[in-house]
Amino acid sequence: MPPPHFSKPFYIFFLILPSGISTGFITVVMPYLLTQNGFPVALTAGIVAVGLSANLWRFLWGPIVDISLSSRKWYWTGLLACTATLLLLCFVPFTVKGATLLTIIVFVSQVAATIILLPINNIMARAIAENHKGKASGFYQAGSLTGNGIAGGLGLWIATKYNVQLAGLVLCIVSFIPALVIMLIRDIPHNKKETIVHEIKVMGKDILAMLKVPAALFVMILVAMPIGSGAMANLWSAVANDWKANLETVLLVTGVFGGLISALGCIFGGFVADRFGIWFAYLGTGVLCAVVTLIMALMPMEQMTYIWGVLIYNFSMGMIYAAFTAVVLYAVGKKHVATKFSLIASLGNLPVVYVTSLNGWVHDAYNSKIMLITEAFVGMIFVVIFYLILKQLKRKNLIPVAIE
């Protein structure tokens, strides 16, 4: 039989941009506009955290995507829902009284963003050659972060210079352009033979089997802890005034430059994982994230600190994202990869949600410096704990080179 037609890994970069743009809108554009409209940072952080929590549950609708419609059709469905909800957010009044409605729409928009991810995961597993899946993973993370940067830079600039409605319209148009790459990728048909009940049973068996493997269980617990959570990336625009950062600075460091620096961090983080191993990459980058955050907290509260602090923070965040992907791929082994990857990725989004909420509460109760110090120390404490656990697991030979 002739070899199957495989897609180019860099296509993944373009496919995931719309999801990154949607998330970037609620983590960069909205926090800035909300605080400018009288929202407390804690309430702003809560709204963002609820939106990001959609990632915790995406494994629940994963079986539905697997057994209905093709990957291409699901991608278009997610894209339409993603852009429609993004546009809707731009026409909802940003008032404290309307916070509940705003929160609901934000959550629905991020559910739509996860629906874009599911067919992309399927494409990565089945339409990318085995020897190119590492590259595809790098483009996956880099594309998501670049989408965040596009929304943060272009979206925030248009929203502040003109209006948020125009910003939403432009971002929706920008989302559709890279999405056309889906037409160049071999479509993946859905599994017509299996039912949702069967898929749920398979998922349950896979989860139980994974829980019996100490190394896999260690990874599942590890990624749910606040190590290199990158939570401040969701609040930099909301607290920019504390560093006396002007609008142009916020646009650059949380937008285009921030996205580019994060993408470079992803690429470098992938190199570190291959060169020094996944455990060094994950825990070592966790230490780096904590140190960067702590240094920024100790520096003077001025614009230059904000610029370099946020950019270096974004680079370290990109590194931890790459290390996270490598650790998850290690844990899922080679059987039912899509189901287990979605589950562990959902757990990995948990610290982003609760640390974002924690940061918002600490900021309003104390100040930005205490907020950064808290994130740094919490992260460092868990690095030490899991380093000691890892040493014990290695001593007992419970950490294999690969999980079957």
Side-chain angles (χ1 to χ4, degrees):
M1 295 179 62
H5 172 69
F6 289 116
S7 299
K8 293 180 173 58
F10 72 85
Y11 287 169
I12 303 300
F13 176 88
F14 298 101
L15 291 182
I16 202 170
L17 281 174
S19 178
I21 289 172
S22 175
T23 302
F25 183 84
I26 72 157
T27 58
V28 178
V29 181
M30 276 195 56
Y32 183 86
L33 296 178
L34 291 179
T35 52
Q36 294 298 310
N37 281 274
F39 279 66
V41 173
L43 179 57
T44 300
I47 293 173
V48 173
V50 169
L52 295 176
S53 70
N55 282 293
L56 303 179
W57 309 107
R58 73 183 192 216
F59 69 92
L60 294 178
W61 42 88
I64 300 175
V65 174
D66 283 336
I67 66 171
S68 61
L69 305 181
S70 66
S71 292
R72 187 177 294 172
K73 289 179 179 177
W74 268 115
Y75 182 81
W76 285 119
T77 300
L79 178 65
L80 290 171
C82 205
T83 51
T85 49
L86 190 157
L87 199 58
L88 179 60
L89 279 173
C90 297
F91 285 89
V92 175
F94 289 175
T95 62
V96 175
K97 290 183 178 180
T100 301
L101 175 62
L102 191 63
T103 303
I104 293 171
I105 300 174
V106 165
F107 178 77
V108 174
S109 77
Q110 293 315 289
V111 170
T114 66
I115 293 176
I116 290 180
L117 299 180
L118 292 170
I120 295 176
N121 292 339
N122 200 21
I123 289 168
M124 290 174 65
R126 300 173 61 182
I128 302 293
E130 286 295 329
N131 60 334
H132 287 156
K133 286 185 178 179
K135 295 178 182 177
S137 298
F139 284 120
Y140 180 82
Q141 293 289 356
S144 178
L145 292 170
T146 300
N148 274 255
I150 291 173
L154 180 63
L156 188 56
W157 181 79
I158 296 174
T160 52
K161 294 296 183 181
Y162 299 96
N163 56 68
V164 68
Q165 291 78 23
L166 179 61
L169 181 61
V170 170
L171 290 178
C172 287
I173 294 173
V174 172
S175 295
F176 271 94
I177 295 173
L180 295 175
V181 171
I182 192 70
M183 305 306 294
L184 302 177
I185 295 177
R186 175 173 61 90
D187 197 11
I188 309 296
H190 69 276
N191 188 350
K192 299 178 180 179
K193 297 180 181 180
E194 306 298 349
T195 65
I196 294 178
V197 173
H198 174 79
E199 289 294 324
I200 293 174
K201 288 181 178 179
V202 170
M203 181 176 68
K205 290 179 180 179
D206 286 339
I207 293 171
L208 290 175
M210 189 162 52
L211 290 174
K212 296 178 182 178
V213 180
L217 182 60
F218 172 75
V219 170
M220 294 177 71
I221 299 173
L222 173 68
V223 299
M225 297 298 107
I227 297 173
S229 66
M232 276 307 303
N234 305 319
L235 297 174
W236 285 129
S237 63
V239 298
N241 288 337
D242 293 347
W243 279 269
K244 305 176 182 63
N246 57 38
L247 176 60
E248 288 73 19
T249 298
V250 176
L251 289 172
L252 289 174
V253 299
T254 65
V256 178
F257 284 169
L260 177 61
I261 291 295
S262 296
L264 292 175
C266 285
I267 296 171
F268 183 71
F271 167 79
V272 171
D274 287 341
R275 180 67 177 81
F276 300 101
I278 58 174
W279 307 117
F280 177 87
Y282 195 88
L283 295 177
T285 307
V287 172
L288 176 63
C289 291
V291 170
V292 168
T293 307
L294 183 60
I295 290 175
M296 188 174 179
L298 300 177
M299 295 291 286
M301 299 284 283
E302 56 189 31
Q303 183 167 271
M304 191 55 66
T305 301
Y306 183 84
I307 293 172
W308 290 108
V310 174
L311 290 179
I312 297 174
Y313 185 96
N314 282 2
F315 186 85
S316 62
M317 184 180 69
M319 288 184 64
I320 197 77
Y321 284 172
F324 169 81
T325 303
V327 166
V328 173
L329 287 173
Y330 166 82
V332 299
K334 299 179 181 179
K335 297 178 181 178
H336 303 107
V337 172
T339 299
K340 291 186 283 186
F341 192 99
S342 295
L343 173 63
I344 299 180
S346 296
L347 293 174
N349 281 288
L350 186 59
V352 181
V353 175
Y354 65 73
V355 177
T356 298
S357 296
L358 173 65
N359 283 350
W361 178 83
V362 173
H363 177 278
D364 286 1
Y366 300 96
N367 54 53
S368 284
K369 283 184 174 288
I370 300 299
M371 173 181 64
L372 293 179
I373 291 171
T374 300
E375 179 176 312
F377 271 95
V378 169
M380 189 67 78
I381 288 170
F382 279 92
V383 166
V384 173
I385 291 173
F386 278 85
Y387 172 74
L388 295 175
I389 294 173
L390 179 63
K391 283 188 65 176
Q392 289 298 314
L393 291 175
K394 284 185 174 182
R395 187 176 63 81
K396 297 179 181 180
N397 295 317
L398 295 176
I399 299 291
V401 175
I403 297 176
E404 297 297 329

